[in-house]
Amino acid sequence: AGGGSDTLSLCEAFIGDEGATTLADALRGADLAHITALDLRGNHIRADGMAALGKAIASSTSLRSLCLEWNSIGMFDAAVGALAACFEVNHSVSHLDLRNNRLGPSFGEAFGKVLRVNTKLASLDIRWNEIGGTGGTALAAHLRENSTLTSLSLSGNRVSTDTLTAINDVLRRNKDPDARESAAREVAQRSAAAAERVSSSEAAAADATLASKELRDELEAALRHGTVQAREIKDLRQSLADVNERLKAETAAHSATERRLSEAAEAAEAQHAAVVRRLTEVEAECGRLRNTVHEQEEERRAEA
């Protein structure tokens, strides 16, 4: 940064953890307090460097954009933890680039929890990492509680199409406040209707169970005191059988309701699966080509 620039770029400067620690100290000083964009791609930043930077970024109120592409954050649990802790506190950064950092499944859970409480981050780029199905599922589950993230790039992470569809639905909702409120109302209405059906079935089952118990008690009392003739006992047993049949019918109806709800949800999700799957394959191929080019560039740089 020079001449009062608001952008500081140390792209591919290979500063490592030692340089990152020195930079973290400088970011707390008056000279860099105005920085709004920080580019640290390709600097071999690991656990110690991320821990130092995390503390500085957490307290920043001016930084808006942070690029940490092509570092090694995902190789160390401590680095992932420091990154997550930083963004649980920081509420100024709106764009975060974490491409090619070897981020694994644990990142999905750790940063998913961040998205529950962070209300500033609008764009998150985590392409070409190793988050996988488990990490993607965790990220999607936590993302449902977020209302500010509108862009999440996940190509090259082997995340399932169902998970991508769920994430894209949340992002579309977050982009449109009216749609977000409408979707929330629809979900609440569907949940209430389902709960009412389940409650009705449970109430019917409870009534049948109570009636069955009362009949059993009555039959046992009659037998114990010898006050009921054989015909009356037969009638009571038939009544008990009828109540048990009602109980089975209500239980079956309850199961059928749950099955129909599940089938309807699966059918809705399947409509987007084919297109999203193809898009993921194309983007993954682009990522592999890009990685090959980057590796060739690093080899040429090392030879030079």
Side-chain angles (χ1 to χ4, degrees), residues 3-18:
S5 173
D6 291 336
T7 299
L8 175 59
S9 177
L10 294 173
C11 177
E12 297 186 352
F14 302 100
I15 63 174
D17 282 351
E18 183 177 353

Side-chain angles (χ1 to χ4, degrees), residues 62-85:
S62 61
L63 194 63
R64 299 291 181 268
S65 176
L66 175 62
C67 178
L68 289 168
E69 181 188 4
W70 285 113
N71 284 287
S72 304
I73 296 171
M75 295 178 62
F76 305 93
D77 291 340
V80 173
L83 178 69

Side-chain angles (χ1 to χ4, degrees), residues 161-162 165 263-277:
T161 53
D162 288 345
T165 298
E263 290 172 352
E266 290 176 358
E269 292 175 355
Q271 294 177 1
H272 302 287
V275 174
V276 174
R277 186 182 302 109

Side-chain angles (χ1 to χ4, degrees), residues 219-234:
L219 178 57
E220 289 174 359
L223 289 172
R224 188 164 50 249
H225 293 93
T227 59
V228 179
Q229 300 298 319
R231 179 63 182 174
E232 292 173 324
I233 293 174
K234 182 179 179 181

Side-chain angles (χ1 to χ4, degrees), residues 10-40:
L10 294 173
C11 177
E12 297 186 352
F14 302 100
I15 63 174
D17 282 351
E18 183 177 353
T21 301
T22 301
L23 174 61
D25 292 337
L27 288 172
R28 295 191 186 93
D31 291 342
L32 296 182
H34 63 284
I35 293 297
T36 60
L38 179 58
D39 188 347
L40 294 175

